[in-house]
Amino acid sequence: MNQRQALYEYLLRLGDNALILGQRLTEWIGHAPALEEELGSANVALDLIGQARGWLAYAGTVEGAGRDEDTLALQRDVLDFRNALLLEQPNGHYGDTIARQYLFDAFHYPLLEALRGCADQHIAAIAAKSYKEAGYHRRRSAEWMVRLGDGTAESHAKLQRSVDTLWPYTGELFTPDEVDRTLQSLGVAADLTAVYQTWDEDVARTLKTATLQRPQAGWMQSGGKQGRHSEQLGYILAQMQFLPRAYPDARW
Amino acid sequence: MHIQPGHTGGEPTRSAEALAELEQAFQEKIDAEIKIEPKDWMPEAYRQSLVRQISQHAHSEIVGMLPEGNWLTRAPSLRRKLILLAKVQDEAGHGLYLYSAAETLGASREALIEALHAGKAKYSSIFNYPTLTWADVGAIGWLVDGAALINQIPLCRCSYGPYARAMRRICKEESFHQRQGYEIMLVLCRGTAAQKRMAQDALERWWWPSLMMFGPPDAESSHTQQSMRWKIKRHTNDALRQKFVDQSVPQADYLGLTPPDPELKWNEQIGHYDFGAIDWGEFWRVLKGDGPCNRERIEARRRAYDEGRWVREAALAFGAKQARRAHGAE
Ligand SMILES: [Fe+2]
Ligand SMILES: [Fe+2]
């Protein structure tokens, strides 16, 4: 794998994570538990999809095949998506959505924080703009973790189950592969061990405050980063990509 | 103890006189264009009329998120997705301001929402029509936000202060929505034949319901006169409707689209467009619950509210725990 291929892959991971989670969040709009949460979910989705545009536009430039952000977002099939499995998991109930969001935000924030110092100027610039948003997302989702975990007996039980169910999807976020290693040696990719340390401390603190149990270490699912997804992603893409695929010669 | 006029043998004459004086002073303030504020005295009928209108408006914002929200997951580009998301988010914000304005009149958000879900409160019937293609997102912005804007600009001068101030913020955003909707239509109309067909079809479906958004003809409108005297309302339904037609026909022309009304034509003598008869049977039918999506819209709102109950309860319970902890720590 040469440097350019690795960079392209890495950018797709960053962009697809943001895009797929943002897409999932838009499914909530009009159906959230309270008006304030309509506004809050929309804010997070706006930030994430905005970030995805930046990453994917740059991915298109690096690839050099004339694909722009929309072509990459709306004309690639599942095998070519590089988001982590966590982000394509269904919204479920609000506790599932909050747990998915928090487990990701606690990873996303230190990742972007590290990428601000990236040797690639473009990545550093996008990260510098995005990490503040990610910090706000992490604060919001952590607050909801605590509210639901330490709320009622019902909300506590529901959220504990959400955390248990989603936990096996957290491993791949921190498992480096050839893409990570190639770029890390060039000062481009973030050091996932350091990101994991921050995540681990944050998660331990939040779970404790939320009176939740940390799930037992067990088998971790993986594959999203390399393009081996769950059944969920196909349905997400079928909706998200419908118009450009049905009207390939149209501009919108 | 509160003495209800007319309900006691006490001093009915004096309290009726006092009431008449208060009402006169109230009307004088209105006539002098002085805003009524939450703590001011107001006739009960004025308060009720405002609660009805503001809550209907708030419900319309919230139910109105659904037809366009229907296209959020399928927007044709990331830019369009962001614009639509920001728009639908604005509508949620409008709902929030308006429920807050209603709260200043003593009506709680929960009670109003429950009335909506019980089918006791109305919302704009336009949102009982389906969004079938992407062009509907454009047509809604252009026509529905456009009609809402014409209805709402006069409300920025409404006699009730909190409502007038909420409307000023809202109108700024609605005019932005209208331009964005028109821009979607423009791109479709300059696009492929399939896109232009979508745009024409959307106009055909949204045109008449948009004209109905101004309410029944003046002769049949039950609240118009009193509302005008109280300066809750400033123009009649028919006047506003005419303004909308006059504004929209040239816009349709520029798009190269044809509104579905063979009687539409410029009347040189009166300086307005003549237009065909509105099917008021359809208007009343949809208002009474038999529009294409009435059941789905309320069902979707009710489901969101019911399924979100445990979340709201948890937030309240946590808030109460925090308050107890802070108290215990003192
Ligand atoms: Fe609105
Ligand atoms: Fe609007």
Side-chain angles (χ1 to χ4, degrees):
Chain A
M1 178 173 295
N2 68 31
Q3 190 190 331
R4 202 171 73 168
Q5 284 166 329
L7 183 57
Y8 173 67
E9 289 284 317
Y10 196 71
L11 289 167
L12 288 186
R13 290 173 185 185
L14 289 163
D16 290 347
N17 279 346
L19 177 62
I20 296 300
L21 184 56
Q23 173 75 6
R24 275 296 193 208
L25 290 176
T26 64
E27 294 172 18
W28 271 107
I29 306 304
H31 311 279
L35 262 180
E36 287 79 358
E37 293 313 294
E38 301 281 1
L39 295 168
S41 321
N43 269 337
V44 177
L46 283 166
D47 289 344
L48 289 172
I49 297 168
Q51 293 171 14
R53 289 181 76 183
W55 297 125
L56 293 179
Y58 184 33
T61 311
V62 169
E63 186 195 30
R67 296 204 281 184
D68 64 9
E69 60 184 67
D70 284 324
T71 320
L72 285 174
L74 304 174
Q75 316 247 10
R76 263 180 309 152
D77 202 355
V78 277
L79 299 180
D80 296 321
F81 264 76
R82 297 290 183 261
N83 60 285
L85 298 174
L86 176 66
L87 304 160
E88 67 200 44
Q89 297 311 304
N91 284 345
H93 57 59
Y94 210 60
D96 295 328
T97 292
I98 290 296
R100 181 186 62 197
Q101 185 74 41
Y102 172 68
L103 292 171
F104 175 69
D105 292 341
F107 152 80
H108 202 204
Y109 178 71
L111 174 75
L112 293 175
E113 200 180 26
L115 288 177
R116 287 181 308 159
C118 174
D120 182 302
Q121 295 303 303
H122 243 87
I123 292 183
I126 301 174
K129 185 184 156 291
S130 309
Y131 97 103
K132 283 188 203 131
E133 296 171 345
Y136 160 75
H137 301 168
R138 186 179 67 170
R139 196 173 337 128
R140 173 180 179 269
S141 60
E143 281 170 8
W144 269 108
M145 289 291 286
V146 173
R147 255 180 231 128
L148 296 179
D150 192 19
T152 62
E154 183 189 6
S155 69
H156 175 87
K158 279 192 145 109
L159 189 61
Q160 182 67 60
R161 249 190 93 96
S162 309
V163 171
D164 293 348
T165 309
L166 292 167
W167 196 259
Y169 297 107
T170 56
E172 79 166 321
L173 299 172
F174 307 103
T175 313
D177 65 0
E178 203 195 332
V179 172
D180 294 296
R181 279 187 294 267
T182 306
L183 293 180
Q184 209 191 317
S185 67
L186 299 163
V188 173
D191 171 9
L192 290 177
T193 314
V195 173
Y196 177 74
Q197 258 166 25
T198 310
W199 181 86
D200 191 50
E201 283 161 23
D202 202 286
V203 168
R205 196 168 47 240
T206 302
L207 290 180
K208 184 158 179 279
T209 317
T211 72
L212 294 166
Q213 297 293 319
R214 187 188 176 100
Q216 300 286 320
W219 175 252
M220 288 287 178
Q221 302 292 340
S222 64
K225 280 166 79 166
Q226 293 83 23
R228 291 188 304 280
H229 290 275
S230 64
E231 290 177 351
Q232 298 296 334
L233 187 62
Y235 292 97
I236 296 175
L237 299 188
Q239 267 196 35
M240 186 170 80
Q241 301 182 335
F242 157 68
L243 279 169
R245 289 202 184 274
Y247 302 93
D249 52 345
R251 296 172 54 86
W252 307 91
Chain B
M1 189 180 143
H2 285 277
I3 296 173
Q4 304 237 322
H7 279 231
T8 62
E11 301 172 316
T13 329
R14 254 181 89 180
S15 70
E17 261 171 34
L19 199 63
E21 253 174 56
L22 282 168
E23 268 177 18
Q24 196 193 333
F26 174 82
Q27 190 62 49
E28 278 164 10
K29 252 169 107 175
I30 297 225
D31 294 341
E33 301 283 340
I34 297 169
K35 291 274 179 269
I36 308 299
E37 295 300 331
K39 294 216 168 85
D40 297 345
W41 184 89
M42 63 187 80
E44 183 54 22
Y46 175 84
R47 195 187 69 83
Q48 280 174 10
S49 181
L50 273 170
V51 169
R52 195 195 63 241
Q53 185 173 331
I54 297 173
S55 65
Q56 275 182 22
H57 188 169
H59 298 329
S60 302
E61 299 284 358
I62 302 309
V63 177
M65 293 168 70
L66 296 170
E68 286 185 285
N70 184 35
W71 280 89
L72 277 170
T73 57
R74 292 176 291 169
S77 71
L78 298 183
R79 176 176 161 263
R80 291 285 179 209
K81 195 188 286 289
L82 288 174
I83 293 174
L84 180 58
L85 184 52
K87 187 205 167 183
V88 177
Q89 186 190 38
D90 285 348
E91 309 301 4
H94 298 171
L96 210 51
Y97 308 155
L98 289 163
Y99 285 122
S100 303
E103 270 170 355
T104 65
L105 295 160
S108 81
R109 200 206 297 184
E110 286 68 29
L112 295 174
I113 288 177
E114 276 160 23
L116 171 71
H117 296 177
K120 289 182 200 146
K122 299 243 174 304
Y123 56 91
S124 181
S125 272
I126 193 84
F127 301 119
N128 291 319
Y129 290 87
T131 49
L132 304 179
T133 71
W134 172 251
D136 291 28
V137 172
I140 288 182
W142 170 35
L143 298 172
V144 176
D145 287 81
L149 192 61
I150 288 181
N151 259 329
Q152 291 170 11
I153 283 173
L155 293 175
C156 299
R157 294 189 299 133
C158 163
S159 60
Y160 187 59
Y163 192 27
R165 288 188 287 274
M167 289 318 303
R168 257 173 257 154
R169 286 175 79 170
I170 290 175
C171 282
K172 248 184 241 163
E173 295 179 346
E174 300 297 6
S175 88
F176 202 55
H177 299 169
Q178 188 194 17
R179 267 178 286 154
Q180 288 168 342
Y182 192 73
E183 200 251 337
I184 289 177
M185 294 301 277
L186 200 57
V187 170
L188 294 176
C189 291
R190 304 285 178 269
T192 65
Q195 285 175 303
K196 183 147 190 204
R197 174 177 170 228
M198 255 182 226
Q200 176 63 34
D201 179 71
L203 173 61
E204 286 175 17
R205 285 179 291 109
W206 292 95
W207 178 257
W208 290 112
S210 298
L211 294 194
M212 293 176 198
M213 281 177 72
F214 298 91
D218 296 343
E220 287 168 43
S221 178
S222 49
H223 306 296
T224 296
Q225 256 195 345
Q226 182 57 273
S227 292
M228 293 197 40
R229 215 162 66 85
W230 278 336
K231 299 194 179 166
I232 294 175
K233 198 169 171 154
R234 297 202 176 237
H235 306 280
T236 68
N237 296 351
D238 287 333
L240 293 171
R241 185 166 15 249
Q242 183 69 57
K243 190 167 181 211
F244 176 74
V245 173
D246 291 347
Q247 164 186 305
S248 303
V249 175
Q251 291 171 342
D253 281 345
Y254 186 73
L255 293 173
L257 299 178
T258 314
D261 179 0
E263 289 172 52
L264 201 58
K265 76 170 196 294
W266 179 249
N267 183 327
E268 197 71 57
Q269 279 177 338
I270 55 171
H272 291 292
Y273 281 91
D274 290 333
F275 56 96
I278 292 172
D279 179 1
W280 292 109
E282 175 179 331
F283 173 79
W284 293 112
R285 189 175 72 242
V286 178
L287 194 73
K288 291 194 171 101
D290 290 327
C293 302
N294 296 55
R295 196 178 40 77
E296 287 104 307
R297 298 295 186 236
I298 287 298
E299 201 44 48
R301 288 309 313 154
R302 204 184 284 145
R303 198 181 327 113
Y305 195 69
D306 290 348
E307 288 176 1
R309 181 167 290 114
W310 70 274
V311 177
R312 297 190 303 274
E313 282 170 1
L316 283 175
F318 177 74
K321 274 187 204 176
Q322 285 294 84
R324 273 201 305 278
R325 282 169 194 152
H327 192 73
E330 269 165 21

